Amino acid sequence: IFNVLNGIKALGNKGAKEELNATVSKFSVLLRSILNNSRKQEITLAEELNTIENYIELEQSMSSKQFDYKIELDIYQLESNEIQVPSMLLQPFIENSIQHGFVIGKKGVISINITIENKFLIYTIIDNGIGIYNSQQKKSTTDNNISIALSVTKERIQYLSGSNSLKIDEIKEGLKTTGTKVYFKIPLKTDY
């Protein structure tokens, strides 16, 4: 919300009225979705992905960093509206990719893959950014928002899965960092 409001403010300062109106409309849909979902213990995977896509598209329209995204599901014969998940587990990792992993001048890519394995829902988020360790070194010593968001999300995942299944690794080609990979799993829950 903080990042989006700053972007809206910047659009207003530029006098970009049409873009400002479109952004405010997208933001209101996203905010309504987040508020509705926050009242529920679980939502469908379809609802979660819709909210995430709204969020990513809003970031795409406002960010000075260019990036694409793709979402791939390998959930066997299940439909995404049959799977129950807690809301906003993906968002902190996606936000970190956009805000801290991607750089101006290099097109970023976020790949979100959700699969089912041994009665668990497996989430994998891969970006082609500068890597988590490089981004942590670049961040200000007074800015601890990343640490807090990751800590809270890690606690949520640990509570849901009963173990610490969250793994965050840098992707390397030789000595060069080519991105970050986030992996976690939660028990598979369906509405039947």
Side-chain angles (χ1 to χ4, degrees):
I1 292 172
F2 176 79
N3 293 335
V4 172
L5 289 175
N6 276 335
I8 289 171
K9 180 180 169 186
L11 289 173
N13 290 339
K14 275 193 329 190
K17 186 177 179 181
E18 286 183 30
E19 194 177 348
L20 176 66
N21 288 337
T23 302
V24 169
S25 292
K26 279 184 184 179
F27 180 58
S28 67
V29 169
L30 176 65
L31 192 55
R32 181 171 305 209
S33 173
I34 291 169
L35 290 174
N36 285 338
N37 293 346
S38 70
R39 299 181 67 144
K40 302 173 187 173
Q41 189 83 9
E42 295 171 333
I43 60 174
T44 67
L45 180 58
E47 290 171 315
E48 173 71 349
L49 293 177
N50 186 45
T51 300
I52 290 301
E53 286 189 86
N54 258 341
Y55 168 72
I56 292 172
E57 290 168 8
L58 190 58
E59 285 283 6
Q60 280 179 316
S61 69
M62 295 177 40
S63 180
S64 57
K65 302 168 188 174
Q66 298 294 310
F67 65 94
D68 290 325
Y69 75 97
K70 63 181 176 179
I71 298 174
E72 296 177 356
L73 299 178
D74 185 6
I75 53 176
Y76 302 106
Q77 286 77 30
L78 293 175
E79 297 290 326
S80 60
N81 60 357
E82 297 173 325
I83 298 172
Q84 300 292 308
V85 297
S87 67
M88 301 298 281
L89 279 181
L90 287 168
Q91 190 275 338
F93 303 113
I94 295 167
E95 181 177 350
N96 282 342
S97 292
I98 297 166
Q99 299 297 324
H100 308 289
F102 296 152
V103 294
I104 295 172
K106 179 186 177 196
K107 186 149 193 171
V109 177
I110 300 171
S111 298
I112 301 161
N113 189 308
I114 302 172
T115 62
I116 295 174
E117 195 176 292
N118 298 329
K119 297 185 182 179
F120 281 92
L121 200 56
I122 310 293
Y123 293 82
T124 308
I125 305 109
I126 297 174
D127 70 49
N128 68 337
I130 63 172
I132 188 167
Y133 303 118
N134 287 330
S135 71
Q136 286 175 341
Q137 289 175 355
K138 284 187 171 188
K139 78 174 188 163
S140 164
T141 55
T142 60
D143 179 18
N144 65 354
N145 291 338
I146 297 172
S147 303
I148 292 170
L150 285 179
S151 295
V152 169
T153 305
K154 182 178 180 178
E155 289 170 11
R156 286 182 73 200
I157 292 167
Q158 188 169 357
Y159 172 78
L160 292 165
S161 68
S163 65
N164 183 13
S165 70
L166 175 64
K167 293 177 178 53
I168 304 174
D169 297 309
E170 285 194 336
I171 301 168
K172 299 230 179 229
E173 288 180 13
L175 297 176
K176 184 179 179 188
T177 301
T178 59
T180 301
K181 178 181 178 180
V182 175
Y183 165 97
F184 65 90
K185 64 182 182 178
I186 61 172
L188 175 63
K189 285 188 174 182
T190 61
D191 62 359
Y192 56 84

